Each structure stands twice: as structure tokens, then as C-alpha cells.
């Protein structure tokens, strides 16, 4: 079944402003969600990061409504008096009589209520059932039934039109929730989803085609110079290296300057998030690196919370041994330095045979003896409650990645969210991402995908899929995603085994890149961050609100949509210089160091192609076809001002490289 485009703003619009300001003086926006000041999943990130641009647009007429939790109030809410008498009277009435009133204003305002997901959709259904004068919007970030079906290992996307939705929801004991989600979608004046792939899903499972697609954005912090985020990468990588030194003590037989850090993170949904594909690809990558005699080592992190009872002893011991070695080295260094200083003070060169005494050598020998280890470094950092049945650990046992000395791919499963206060890996998630080289997210079910988006704005290349909202969005708006560090894995039109082979090809090609090529690619990846900034993507939400106002209050607002024009849209061009691939780019020197602390522009020799990030960025800007705002659909208020537009753009496809053949373990049931 082809992924037809929703008649909506599915292509990135141009950057020009609206022709006229929209009159919001007597208009109020309520945004309702279970994750307002309540961190549960990705919707929390949507609301938190979008709040600023929405607040800039609506000012004091913008309100977020969510559950009251003591933890949320203490950490995320600043308690204030109601800014207007009308709101104060409303709150007083709700406290004294229950939730019976919403309108206490002398003048009847035009109210827009935006509900996220089925939990908040109860309020939307009540608004329509009681015929309240409210313009309603419902956004589904992932359908309930879709998530359950994909977790059940079905061929989901090729059978969307064939599912008996009532039967499937009933068998999974989610029928009441499914009905609430479907009712909210049908009751809303405007129904939206976060990606084109979810729009198709909603059309078949919720039986309503979304009116508009509202992609998720981020607050993008732009640096004054490219080398600033490169320096942050080097600093964060050094923190990760310290952990690796301790974790692999006694088996640190690989060069950390030739080690790449890959990671996958998110909700522990083994198949939906693609952890199964990632592990299989790592096994094949391990084979390729070994048979080709590569000096490169890959450390792959799995950051997925699971049921544990604490850190395991061996992991904590590794960090203690590392710290002991560091303390021993510092003690010897201080004694050596003091003796050297005293020798130089009297004007003589030191006798190197007397600089270290027997006690120093004994101390160092004891420290070395403490690093000896009989077992392999642990795969998991915690004691798992379901060790024997855990999907990741079970798969690791099957494919045989046990962190042995012969393995070029090492695996670390950290079944807990990262924290800067952790005694094991004391870094927060953002710092960890900046220190890695590649994020790998081969999801089978991912309505949007904030993890690869966060990698992009931090200048870290990532692997996504054509079944994720982020992957489809980037495939649509970038002429050659892989050249910019966005690798799009085909999980729709390939079998599971073929997808694993393609992912292996991506990972192996990435391992062949030189330090210079990785720096170039990180610069290009970070340059894409503008595509994900809320100051642009927030306009989709603006259009959804204008559309809802026009439908709910047609006497005050008008909205005149046009047919989609497939000739318009925005496409980021191919890079002006050659792609940073091993076959097309050479080392900048015959004996290049793999240390990545130099931030940018490396001095080329006579045979190397000159590279300058600022010059390349300027060329790309000249190559970009000037983006045009799509044909406008007017949204006219009673004062005569206009805002609003809808449009679509043609879909695009990206060719993928051929995959290397390598032995692989059995994959079980395939998805076509």
C-alpha cells in the first residue's frame, strides 16, 4: 500500500512571516495533555520545547492543563496567582463545585482547546457532547492499537487496511481506550498527527484522515562557530572513555583513540525500537571487522530502562579499580616531580635510576595486580530481575557478543536512564549523546523519533528508518541524507534479514571513515538543525489552530484550503563538496592520529582536497532553491486580518548502497 500524502502542510514551508498578524486579543488557547509538567514520554518533550514559541504567539492567553503531581509542582511549576479575574473566578468555581464551568469572562472569548492523546481526549468528547463553544484539536502521537499490534510481531504496515480493529483491540484488552481515542479523533474539529507515516496509520485504525501533519521540533541552540560543538563532542567523549577504561579493566587491549561509540536509547520495546535489528547488525559488523583485520573497535551502548535491583558488583569494581590506578599514578607523579624539582634547584640533572625507589615500584605492581581479571567484562551494568528471559541479554547470548578480546564490537547494556549523579557513568543524556559518534535507531514502530532528532541538533550522525516520522521527514527534505549523517534504513520494502544487511553496510562504512571525514560529517549534520527548530515547525500548529477556529466560529473566521500543489516544497541540496565517504576522501596525512580533539579544518597536504566548513556551507546556501511559502488559505478574523496555509510536496526516495555479505545468526520470523 503506498504511503499517500495527507492534504496538509507536509513539506517544510518557507521562512517568510505571515502577511498580517492574527487577532488573538479575545482568543484563548488551552493545551491539555497527561504529560504537562509530568515526564512520561516524548509528549513531555513536545510540550516543554514548544511552550516558548507558543507563549510568544499567545502571551497570557496560553494555558497548559495537566495532572497535578507533587513532584511535578516542586520541580517544574512556579506557583503564581491567576493573571486575569476571569481565570481566578474559573478556578474558584472549579474548586468549590467541581469542573462545571469554563467560561467566566464578561466577553465571550474564542476558545481553542488542543488535546494530546486519548487520556486528554475525554475532555474533548465532553466539550462536543455538551456543545461548548470551543474550537477543538486532537493530536495522536501514536495510536494505541498500532503500538500493540507492532509489539506483537505482525506485518503491520502491509496489512493496515486488513485489520479488524474492534476485534484486535478487544483481544488485547484495550477496547475501551481504543474507543476513547477513536471518538476523540472523530469529535475534534481538527485532527492531527505528528508524521506522515502515522497519518496513514490513523486513517486505517482510527478511521479518520488527519487534517494536517504537525512534525515535532526542538529548541535549537546555535553556536557562534562550528568548532564549539566539536569541542563539546571531544569533552563528552573523554567522560565516556573514563567509564570504558574502568569497565574493560584487565581487557583494555584495544586502542581508545581508534574506538567508536554507538548507542541506542529509549523505551524498552525490543522489536518496536529496533534493538533486535541493531544487535544482529552488530554481530555481522563484528565479523566484518575481524576478517578484514580492522584496527577499529566499536563500543555499542544500549540505554533502555528495565527491571533491576542495583548495579552489579563487577561493574562497580571496575570503576573502583580505575580510580585506584589513577590515584596511584598521581602519587608516583607527585613524588617524581618533587625529586625532579629538588635536583634542578641545585643545578644538576637528575639521576633517573634514583627518581623512583623500591616502594614506588611495589605500589605500582600492586596496582597492576589489582587489574587482573579472569572473566570477560560484563555486558550488563546492573543486576537484572529477569536475566534469563530479558530480550537483549538472550539475543547477546545467541549471537555470542561477550566482550572477549577477539571481538571488535563490545556491548554495554545500561538498563537505566543516564544521570550526572550516577556512581557508574556520571553523565546526563545530552552529554552522553554529544560524546558518541553515531546514534542507531532502526525502529519498526516510531511515529516521530526524538532520539535521532536530538542527535541531529547536537551534530551527531544517526541511523533512522523509513517507518519513523523523523526518517520520512528527513528523506523528504534532504536530497542525500547519508551525506549529512542521516542514514535511512529501509524497513518497509525489505525483509528483516535484508534490513539487517543494509544496517551492517551503514555501520561498516561509518567505521571506515577517517577522523577528518567524521568531523566533516558532524559539521553537516549540525547544519540540518534548522529543519527541526520550533520557530519553523511551530507554524504547522499555528495552521491547525486557525483551521479549528474557522470550523468552530465560521461567522468570525474563514479558512479556504486549496488543493495540494506537488511542485512546491523544500529540499536541502546535496553537499557542494564530495561526500565524506571512504572511497572518495583521503587521509589528510600519511600517519593520521585518530584522536578527535581537534575541532575542525585540518591542514591538507598537496594530494588532499581542501575542506573549509564555512566555504562549504556558503556554497550549499547558494545551491538551495529559495523555499516558497505554499499557496495561502486565508483565515480571516472579524477584524479582517489573514493567516494560514496548507500544501503538500512530492515524496522522495534515496538509493542505498549495496550490502556486504557475511554470516549471520538465524533471525526467526521475518517482516516484509
Amino acid at each position: 500500500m503506498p504511503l499517500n500524502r495527507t492534504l496538509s502542510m507536509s513539506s517544510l514551508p518557507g521562512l517568510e512571516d505571515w502577511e498580517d498578524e492574527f487577532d488573538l486579543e479575545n482568543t484563548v488557547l488551552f493545551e491539555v495533555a497527561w504529560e504537562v509538567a509530568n515526564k512520561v514520554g516524548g509528549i513531555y518533550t513536545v510540550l516543554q520545547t514548544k511552550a516558548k514559541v507558543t507563549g510568544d504567539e499567545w502571551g497570557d492567553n496560553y494555558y497548559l492543563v495537566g495532572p497535578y503531581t507533587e513532584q511535578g509542582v516542586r520541580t517544574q511549576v512556579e506557583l503564581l496567582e491567576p493573571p486575569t479575574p476571569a481565570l481566578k473566578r474559573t478556578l474558584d468555581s472549579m474548586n468549590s463545585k467541581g469542573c462545571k464551568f469554563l467560561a467566566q469572562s464578561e466577553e465571550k472569548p474564542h476558545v481553542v482547546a488542543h488535546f494530546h492523546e486519548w487520556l486528554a481526549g475525554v475532555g474533548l468528547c465532553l466539550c462536543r457532547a455538551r456543545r461548548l463553544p470551543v474550537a477543538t484539536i486532537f493530536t495522536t502521537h501514536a495510536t494505541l492499537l498500532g503500538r500493540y499490534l507492532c509489539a506483537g510481531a505482525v506485518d503491520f504496515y502491509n496489512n493496515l487496511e486488513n485489520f479488524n480493529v474492534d476485534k484486535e483491540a478487544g483481544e488485547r484488552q484495550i477496547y475501551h481506550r481504543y474507543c476513547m481515542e477513536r471518538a476523540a479523533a472523530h469529535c475534534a474539529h481538527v485532527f492531527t498527527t505528528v508524521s506522515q507515516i502515522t497519518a496513514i496509520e490513523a486513517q486505517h485504525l482510527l478511521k479518520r484522515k488527519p487534517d494536517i501533519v504537525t512534525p515535532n521540533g526542538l529548541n535549537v541552540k546555535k553556536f557562534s562557530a562550528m568548532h564549539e560543538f566539536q569541542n563539546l563532542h571531544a569533552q563528552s567523549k573523554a567522560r565516556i572513555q573514563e567509564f570504558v577504561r574502568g569497565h574493560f579493566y584487565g581487557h583494555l587491549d584495544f586502542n581508545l583513540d581508534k574506538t567508536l561509540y554507538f548507542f541506542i536509547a529509549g523505551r524498552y520495546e525490543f522489536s518496536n525500537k529496533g534493538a533486535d535489528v541493531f544487535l544482529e547488525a552488530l554481530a555481522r559488523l563484528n565479523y566484518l571487522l575481524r576478517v578484514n583485520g580492522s584496527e577499529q573497535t566499536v563500543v555499542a551502548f544500549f540505554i533502555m530502562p528495565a527491571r533491576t535491583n542495583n548495579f552489579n558488583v563487577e561493574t562497580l569494581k571496575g570503576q573502583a579499580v580505575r580510580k585506584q590506578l589513577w590515584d596511584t599514578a598521581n602519587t608516583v607523579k607527585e613524588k617524581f616531580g618533587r625529586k625532579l624539582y629538588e635536583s634542578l634547584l641545585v643545578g644538576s640533572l637528575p639521576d633517573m635510576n634514583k627518581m623512583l625507589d623500591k616502594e614506588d615500584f611495589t605500589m605500582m605492581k600492586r596496582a597492576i595486580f589489582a587489574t587482573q581479571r579472569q572473566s570477560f567484562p560484563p555486558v550488563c551494568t546492573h543486576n537484572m530481575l529477569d536475566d534469563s528471559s530479558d530480550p537483549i541479554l538472550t539475543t547477546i547470548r545467541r549471537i555470542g557478543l561477550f566482550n572477549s578480546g577477539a571481538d571488535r564490537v563490545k556491548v554495554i547494556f545500561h538498563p537505566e536512564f543516564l544521570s550526572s549523579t550516577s556512581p557508574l557513568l556520571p553523565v546526563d543524556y545530552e552529554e552522553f549523546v554529544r560524546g558518541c559518534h553515531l546514534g542507531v535507531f532502526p525502529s519498526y514502530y516510531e511515529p516521530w523519533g526524538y532520539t535521532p532528532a536530538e542527535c541531529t541538533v547536537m551534530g551527531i550522525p544517526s541511523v533512522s528508518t523509513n517507518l519513523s516520522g523523523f526518517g520520512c521527514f528527513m528523506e523528504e527534505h534532504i536530497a542525500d541524507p547519508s551525506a549529512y549523517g542521516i542514514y535511512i534504513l529501509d524497513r518497509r520494502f525489505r525483509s528483516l534479514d535484508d534490513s539487517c544487511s543494509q544496517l551492517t553496510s551503514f555501520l561498516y562504512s561509518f567505521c571506515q571513515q577517517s577522523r577528518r571525514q567524521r568531523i566533516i560529517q558532524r559539521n553537516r549534520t549540525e547544519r540540518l538543525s534548522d529543519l527541526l527548530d520550533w520557530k519553523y515547525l511551530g507554524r504547522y500548529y499555528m495552521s491547525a489552530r486557525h483551521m479549528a477556529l474557522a470550523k468552530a466560529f465560521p461567522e468570525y473566521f474563514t479558512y479556504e484550503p486549496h488543493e495540494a500543489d506537488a511542485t512546491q516544497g523544500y529540499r536541502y541540496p546535496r553537499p557542494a563538496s564530495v561526500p565524506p565517504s571512504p572511497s572518495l576522501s583521503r587521509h589528510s596525512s600519511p600517519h593520521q592520529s585518530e584522536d578527535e580533539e581537534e575541532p575542525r579544518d585540518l591542514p591538507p597536504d598537496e594530494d588532499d582536497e581542501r575542506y573549509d566548513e564555512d566555504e562549504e556551507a556558503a556554497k550549499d546556501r547558494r545551491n538551495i532553491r529559495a523555499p516558497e511559502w505554499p499557496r495561502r488559505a486565508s483565515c480571516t478574523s472579524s477584524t479582517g486580518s489573514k493567516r494560514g496555509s496548507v500544501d503538500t510536496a512530492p515524496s522522495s526516495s534515496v538509493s542505498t548502497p549495496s550490502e556486504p555479505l557475511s554470516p549471520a545468526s538465524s533471525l526467526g520470523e521475518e517482516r516484509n
Side-chain angles (χ1 to χ4, degrees):
M1 180 191 67
L3 296 181
N4 298 318
R5 310 176 82 64
T6 301
L7 183 57
S8 66
M9 297 170 60
S10 61
S11 67
L12 191 72
L15 308 184
E16 62 180 275
D17 295 326
W18 301 93
E19 289 179 344
D20 300 296
E21 287 300 316
F22 194 70
D23 184 12
L24 300 176
E25 183 176 351
N26 196 35
T27 309
V28 180
L29 170 63
F30 289 92
E31 201 153 6
V32 188
W34 186 253
E35 296 193 32
V36 171
N38 181 34
K39 189 171 185 179
V40 178
I43 302 174
Y44 170 86
T45 305
V46 174
L47 298 171
Q48 182 197 47
T49 57
K50 186 173 64 67
K52 184 180 185 305
V53 295
T54 311
D56 290 343
E57 179 190 1
W58 290 78
D60 289 338
N61 290 343
Y62 174 48
Y63 303 96
L64 283 162
V65 181
Y68 183 96
T69 63
E70 291 294 337
Q71 177 68 16
V73 170
R74 285 197 302 267
T75 59
Q76 302 186 53
V77 176
E78 181 182 355
L79 297 178
L80 299 172
E81 288 296 319
T84 63
L87 183 60
K88 186 177 189 308
R89 288 195 300 271
T90 301
L91 295 177
D92 291 341
S93 177
M94 291 172 67
N95 287 331
S96 63
K97 303 176 183 178
C99 301
K100 295 183 180 179
F101 304 97
L102 190 55
Q104 294 284 338
S105 178
E106 290 80 2
E107 298 181 9
K108 290 186 177 180
H110 299 123
V111 177
V112 181
H114 191 157
F115 300 86
H116 295 264
E117 293 292 276
W118 71 272
L119 286 166
V122 178
L124 188 153
C125 295
L126 289 175
C127 285
R128 299 307 303 276
R130 297 177 180 179
R131 300 181 183 277
L132 298 181
V134 176
T136 57
I137 306 171
F138 180 67
T139 297
T140 180
H141 296 257
T143 69
L144 269 171
L145 185 56
R147 191 180 296 278
Y148 274 81
L149 286 170
C150 286
V154 301
D155 187 7
F156 180 67
Y157 292 99
N158 291 321
N159 290 285
L160 271 174
E161 67 275 18
N162 300 324
F163 289 117
N164 183 333
V165 291
D166 294 304
K167 175 177 177 292
E168 298 290 350
E171 289 180 349
R172 288 160 177 79
Q173 299 182 2
I174 59 168
Y175 188 68
H176 59 299
R177 286 182 281 170
Y178 165 75
C179 289
M180 186 58 63
E181 182 180 42
R182 183 168 170 177
H186 283 268
C187 288
H189 289 103
V190 173
F191 175 42
T192 82
T193 61
V194 296
S195 65
Q196 202 67 43
I197 193 75
T198 312
I200 301 300
E201 175 187 344
Q203 183 177 351
H204 287 89
L205 300 187
L206 300 182
K207 307 304 180 182
R208 179 175 177 182
K209 185 177 182 180
D211 300 289
I212 190 170
V213 172
T214 53
N216 290 333
L218 286 165
N219 289 330
V220 177
K221 178 184 178 183
K222 298 297 289 184
F223 295 94
S224 59
M226 284 290 183
H227 64 79
E228 291 187 40
F229 81 86
Q230 296 282 9
N231 288 336
L232 287 174
H233 164 75
Q235 295 165 12
S236 299
K237 187 185 69 171
R239 300 286 299 276
I240 297 174
Q241 283 181 331
E242 283 302 293
F243 166 79
V244 170
R245 288 186 175 99
H247 191 83
F248 290 94
Y249 82 91
H251 292 271
L252 200 63
D253 52 359
F254 52 92
N255 187 350
L256 287 179
D257 289 335
K258 295 182 179 180
T259 299
L260 300 176
Y261 301 113
F262 298 170
F263 80 98
I264 184 174
R267 187 185 293 111
Y268 195 177
E269 297 178 3
F270 183 66
S271 298
N272 282 359
K273 297 298 183 183
D276 53 347
V277 177
F278 187 27
L279 280 169
E280 190 66 39
L282 287 175
R284 301 182 186 191
L285 176 65
N286 186 49
Y287 169 81
L288 288 176
L289 294 176
R290 289 174 60 179
V291 299
N292 288 291
S294 175
E295 296 181 352
Q296 200 74 262
T297 300
V298 171
V299 176
F301 290 89
F302 287 74
I303 312 296
M304 291 180 159
R307 297 176 63 221
T308 68
N309 57 20
N310 213 330
F311 302 107
N312 64 48
V313 174
E314 189 63 21
T315 303
L316 290 173
K317 179 183 176 182
Q319 300 308 311
V321 168
R322 179 192 61 79
K323 188 176 185 302
Q324 180 186 5
L325 285 174
W326 179 258
D327 293 340
T328 300
N330 276 333
T331 301
V332 174
K333 181 182 69 174
E334 290 177 3
K335 292 179 65 176
F336 184 94
R338 187 165 54 251
K339 290 180 180 180
L340 175 62
Y341 171 68
E342 291 171 353
S343 177
L344 295 177
L345 278 177
V346 298
S348 63
L349 292 176
D351 184 354
M352 299 306 296
N353 294 323
K354 297 180 180 179
M355 295 299 288
L356 297 177
D357 54 28
K358 184 177 180 181
E359 181 182 350
D360 296 327
F361 282 102
T362 301
M363 186 188 308
M364 289 188 288
K365 287 179 180 178
R366 286 175 178 171
I368 293 174
F369 181 76
T371 65
Q372 297 190 6
R373 173 190 238 169
Q374 301 302 318
S375 61
F376 293 146
V379 168
C380 187
T381 58
H382 292 60
N383 294 320
M384 301 289 293
L385 293 180
D386 302 315
D387 183 280
S388 61
S389 59
D390 181 80
I392 289 180
L393 296 181
T394 301
T395 304
I396 287 174
R397 295 184 187 107
R398 176 174 62 81
I399 61 180
L401 286 180
F402 299 122
N403 294 339
S404 69
D407 289 330
R408 295 269 52 84
V409 173
K410 320 287 185 180
V411 177
I412 299 176
F413 179 24
H414 188 280
E416 193 176 73
F417 285 129
L418 297 170
S419 170
S420 58
T421 60
S422 169
L424 192 65
L425 183 55
V427 295
D428 58 27
Y429 179 72
E430 179 178 336
E431 185 180 8
F432 175 80
V433 172
R434 286 193 182 277
C436 290
H437 297 90
L438 182 70
V440 184
F441 314 104
S443 304
Y444 184 74
Y445 185 79
E446 191 70 78
W448 176 248
Y450 256 125
T451 42
E454 289 165 339
C455 286
T456 302
V457 300
M458 287 187 270
I460 303 301
S462 64
V463 177
S464 188
T465 74
N466 58 357
L467 291 180
S468 73
F470 172 85
C472 293
F473 181 84
M474 286 301 193
E475 197 172 43
E476 179 180 344
H477 299 300
I478 305 175
D480 186 3
S482 60
Y484 288 92
I486 307 294
Y487 299 91
I488 309 297
L489 183 67
D490 185 0
R491 293 209 61 185
R492 175 164 175 77
F493 302 108
R494 294 182 183 226
S495 67
L496 184 58
D497 184 73
D498 287 344
S499 295
C500 287
S501 296
Q502 187 187 19
L503 179 57
T504 305
S505 174
F506 289 159
L507 300 182
Y508 185 67
S509 297
F510 190 88
C511 290
Q512 290 180 298
Q513 291 183 3
S514 66
R515 174 176 69 104
R516 177 176 181 272
Q517 292 162 352
R518 292 195 296 270
I519 290 175
I520 292 172
Q521 193 173 63
R522 281 198 297 272
N523 285 339
R524 291 177 178 172
T525 302
E526 197 272 344
R527 208 186 311 152
L528 297 178
S529 58
D530 280 343
L531 297 178
L532 303 171
D533 200 326
W534 272 124
K535 64 183 179 182
Y536 305 139
L537 297 185
R539 298 180 183 181
Y540 295 112
Y541 279 89
M542 293 167 63
S543 286
R545 293 191 286 265
H546 299 161
M547 186 186 298
L549 282 169
K551 289 185 177 182
F553 309 108
E555 66 275 20
Y556 295 99
F557 306 95
T558 59
Y559 194 88
E560 300 173 1
H562 293 283
E563 288 296 324
D565 186 351
T567 64
Q568 293 178 326
Y570 183 98
R571 294 271 290 170
Y572 215 82
R574 287 184 172 83
S577 63
V578 295
S581 63
S583 60
L584 296 177
S585 185
R586 293 182 289 271
H587 285 272
S588 58
S589 62
H591 305 287
Q592 182 176 0
S593 168
E594 288 296 313
D595 181 18
E596 296 202 18
E597 296 199 358
E598 285 189 47
R600 61 178 302 189
D601 299 359
L602 305 177
D605 57 28
E606 293 180 358
D607 296 328
D608 198 13
E609 180 191 4
R610 180 176 177 273
Y611 173 80
D612 181 87
E613 170 59 26
D614 294 331
E615 181 180 331
E616 181 181 293
K619 289 180 181 178
D620 280 353
R621 282 192 292 270
R622 288 195 297 269
N623 287 339
I624 296 175
R625 173 166 55 86
E628 300 176 0
W629 188 259
R631 289 187 300 176
R632 300 181 187 280
S634 63
C635 185
T636 308
S637 71
S638 56
T639 59
S641 58
K642 295 182 180 180
R643 296 178 79 172
S645 63
V646 292
D647 192 27
T648 59
S651 60
S652 61
S653 60
V654 177
S655 60
T656 54
S658 58
E659 297 82 13
L661 298 177
S662 62
S665 306
S666 60
L667 290 171
E669 182 179 355
E670 292 187 353
R671 289 170 170 154
N672 293 320

